Amino acid sequence: MTYSDQELLDFLSGDMDPRRAEQIEQTMRVDRELEHRVMTLDPIAAPVRGAMKGLPGRRVLADLERVVPDGEKRGRNHTQWTKLAAVLVLGAVLGGGAMWLGMPSADDWRGRVAQYQSLYVADTVRLTIASADVLERQLEVASKKLGRPLEQAPLDAPSLLRLARVQVLGLDDAPLIQIVYQDAEGTPFALCVTTAGPRGEASDPSSEMLHGLATTAWEDGSFRYIFVGGDDLEKTGAVASQLKSVL
C-alpha cells in the first residue's frame, strides 16, 4: 500500500483518522522504506540522525533542545519512534546508562526493541565500544538489574560478531538489558533480555522481520530474549540458537 507525503505529514502531526494512522504504523513495522520516508518528513528525525553521527559529545543535548518542539506544539498522536530517537541520543551522550524505552503497545515488546535498534548505524556502535574493564562493570550492573548472571564468555559465543557494550534500558517498569554486537561489515546487532513477569511461559525461538530488521525471539519462563539486526532471518536465527544454548 502506498501513502502520499501529505498523508504521512498528517500522520506525524496527529491529524489523521486513528484507523488510518494505525494502518501506517503497522506497515512501518515491516516496510523500512516507508519508515525512512516518514523519518525524512519528520522535523525531529534528521537532527537526531546528525547528532548521533557526532557521538560522543555533550553538544548533542543543546542540539536536541533546539530541534525537539514542546509536546503542546505537536499532535497527541505523534509517532513514538521519533521520541525514541531522542532518547537514544540522550542515553548515549550520558554514557549509556539507564534509559526508558516507552512505546504505545505493551504487548508489542519485540516491535519496540526492533524500532529502537533500527536507529543504529555502524558508527553508533564503533564510537561507543567499551574497553575490557568498562565492559566487565557494565555486565556486573546489568546482572544486578536483571536478577540473573550475565557472563562475558557465553556472550562472546557468536564467532562472527564482536561484543561491543552492554546498556541498562527499561521496558514497562522492568529492566531491559541491551547487549550490543557488530559484525565485520559494521552492521549493528543486539541481544536484549528482559523479565517475563509472573505469568511467563517458555517458548521456542520465532523469527520475523520488524522495522526492516531480522529478529528472533524466545522465552524461558523467567526471561524474554530477542536477537535483532541486519536483514537475514537465517543469520539471526542461527546466532539466536547459539546464544540460547549457552545462556
Side-chain angles (χ1 to χ4, degrees):
M1 183 172 293
T2 59
Y3 304 96
S4 68
D5 285 354
Q6 185 57 55
E7 281 187 295
L8 297 182
L9 288 169
D10 291 343
F11 171 70
L12 287 166
S13 66
D15 294 332
M16 175 172 281
D17 175 80
R19 291 184 179 180
R20 185 66 166 173
E22 175 66 19
Q23 190 178 60
I24 290 178
E25 289 181 2
Q26 292 301 320
T27 305
M28 286 173 61
R29 283 170 51 89
V30 296
D31 187 342
R32 198 164 193 180
E33 182 178 347
L34 176 61
E35 195 167 34
H36 285 175
R37 283 185 61 202
V38 174
M39 182 174 287
T40 299
L41 293 169
D42 192 283
I44 297 178
V48 167
R49 283 279 191 187
M52 287 179 68
K53 291 180 180 178
L55 293 177
R58 293 188 176 273
R59 63 179 177 78
V60 177
L61 292 172
D63 292 341
L64 286 174
E65 288 178 356
R66 289 197 299 270
V67 302
V68 179
D70 295 334
E72 293 181 358
K73 298 178 182 178
R74 303 298 298 269
R76 292 185 179 180
N77 293 326
H78 183 269
T79 50
Q80 294 290 321
W81 66 271
T82 53
K83 298 177 183 178
L84 182 60
V87 171
L88 172 61
V89 175
L90 289 170
V93 171
L94 294 173
M99 288 186 285
W100 171 74
L101 181 58
M103 297 291 284
S105 172
D107 296 329
D108 187 25
W109 78 279
R110 292 181 296 182
R112 295 154 73 184
V113 170
Q115 193 170 49
Y116 181 95
Q117 185 69 17
S118 71
L119 294 168
Y120 273 54
V121 295
D123 281 350
T124 313
V125 180
R126 183 179 63 82
L127 296 174
T128 56
I129 293 175
S131 65
D133 290 344
V134 171
L135 183 60
E136 182 178 357
R137 291 197 297 272
Q138 289 175 343
L139 286 169
E140 289 177 359
V141 172
S143 296
K144 291 179 180 178
K145 291 287 186 180
L146 192 61
R148 62 148 293 173
L150 292 171
E151 299 178 354
Q152 184 169 345
L155 295 174
D156 273 330
S159 58
L160 299 179
L161 301 178
R162 177 184 181 181
L163 178 59
R165 71 170 188 272
V166 178
Q167 291 191 113
V168 178
L169 312 180
L171 181 70
D172 300 329
D173 298 323
L176 184 141
I177 307 305
Q178 182 202 41
I179 301 160
V180 181
Y181 294 89
Q182 192 166 39
D183 68 10
E185 288 73 39
T187 305
F189 293 84
L191 171 68
C192 293
V193 188
T194 187
T195 53
R199 298 181 180 180
E201 296 182 359
S203 64
D204 293 329
S206 62
S207 299
E208 61 181 323
M209 296 295 297
L210 294 172
H211 294 284
L213 295 178
T215 71
T216 300
W218 71 96
E219 299 188 25
D220 64 9
S222 299
F223 299 93
R224 299 186 292 182
Y225 307 81
I226 182 170
F227 185 73
V228 55
D231 58 5
D232 187 339
L233 284 172
E234 184 175 349
K235 180 176 181 178
T236 55
V239 174
S241 294
Q242 187 177 17
L243 289 168
K244 182 177 182 293
S245 69
V246 296
L247 291 175

